[in-house]
Amino acid sequence: MLRRFFQLLVALVPLALFAIALQPVQQRLYGGHAAQGILLLLVALAVLALVEGLIFRYWILPGWGEKVAERLYAGSYLPENDALAQLVERIEHSKDAAALEQLQQLVLQQPRRLRGWLELARLQQDLLQDDGAAALATLEQAASAMRDPEDAALLLYRAARLCDKKLHDSAAAARLFQRAVTQFPGTVYGRKAAESLKEF
């Protein structure tokens, strides 16, 4: 939220400078120097368009693109260029549970990346002989790390389902469903959690 506010603030700074630049334009337009005023206005508009375009293209748009890609494709990356994807693929092929610690460290370096937490929890369920306890801890930790309410609710929902289906702990499942409902009632998975609570 703070980052979005800061982005908005930075995008508004050129508009404020443009508003200040309009004062000499008006002075020339109404002071008998219309040609100079029009020329100055065109220059100011060109500079504003250029600066706003650069801000949007190189700062705001990449952030939005990452979020959309995370939503649609669970990660904005090409596998060959992404350390997380490469490590996940290596662990899947080798079935090396010892490498999960390396994956966990990588995930902690990017704690807002939903894909990393989901991959870690999935591989922990597949490779560790702990009946899903490590995966549950990962999902709960991930839910606390997420800023996006939809992501956090999804993680709590998955943690609750893991408790119910694999750990056979209905009390813990109900607690996690209730947490999703209480903290994120307006989200998709908050609503799904409310429906799931009716089963208990």
Side-chain angles (χ1 to χ4, degrees):
M1 184 64 74
L2 187 61
R3 183 184 174 191
R4 289 177 189 168
F5 175 76
F6 187 62
Q7 286 178 333
L8 179 62
L9 190 64
V10 170
L12 289 176
V13 167
L15 290 173
L17 294 175
F18 177 74
I20 294 170
L22 285 180
Q23 292 176 355
V25 169
Q26 289 177 340
Q27 289 172 357
R28 283 171 174 75
L29 286 174
Y30 298 115
H33 303 286
Q36 288 182 4
I38 292 171
L39 180 61
L40 189 57
L41 177 62
L42 291 174
V43 169
L45 282 171
V47 170
L48 174 66
L50 177 64
V51 171
E52 288 287 3
L54 290 172
I55 289 172
F56 187 77
R57 168 65 181 86
Y58 291 104
W59 195 41
I60 295 176
L61 193 59
W64 289 356
E66 263 182 40
K67 205 62 187 168
V68 169
E70 185 77 29
R71 270 282 172 242
L72 296 177
Y73 308 112
S76 56
Y77 60 85
L78 294 172
E80 62 270 19
N81 298 330
D82 185 75
L84 178 84
Q86 289 178 348
L87 182 55
V88 166
E89 187 176 350
R90 197 161 66 242
I91 294 171
E92 284 177 333
H93 287 301
S94 68
K95 306 297 182 189
D96 181 13
L100 288 174
E101 186 175 344
Q102 185 183 354
L103 178 59
Q104 186 173 25
Q105 293 303 316
L106 192 58
V107 168
L108 290 172
Q109 290 172 14
Q110 301 174 325
R112 306 283 186 260
R113 187 175 179 186
L114 178 63
R115 170 65 183 246
W117 292 107
L118 293 176
E119 292 286 19
L120 177 59
R122 178 179 65 80
L123 289 170
Q124 285 172 327
Q125 287 183 69
D126 291 345
L127 301 179
L128 296 180
Q129 305 299 316
D130 65 352
D131 295 326
L136 175 62
T138 292
L139 291 169
E140 289 192 81
Q141 182 182 3
S144 299
M146 287 294 125
R147 286 183 182 166
D148 189 307
E150 291 286 353
D151 292 346
L154 179 150
L155 290 159
L156 287 173
Y157 182 86
R158 290 200 178 187
R161 280 293 174 206
L162 177 62
C163 282
D164 185 33
K165 301 299 183 187
K166 191 162 186 177
L167 301 178
H168 307 292
D169 187 344
S170 57
R175 175 182 58 81
L176 288 165
F177 280 135
Q178 186 60 56
R179 184 176 158 197
V181 171
T182 303
Q183 293 182 354
F184 312 108
T187 63
V188 172
Y189 281 92
R191 291 190 291 272
K192 285 174 71 76
E195 287 296 315
S196 297
L197 270 175
K198 297 174 184 176
E199 302 170 9
F200 295 88

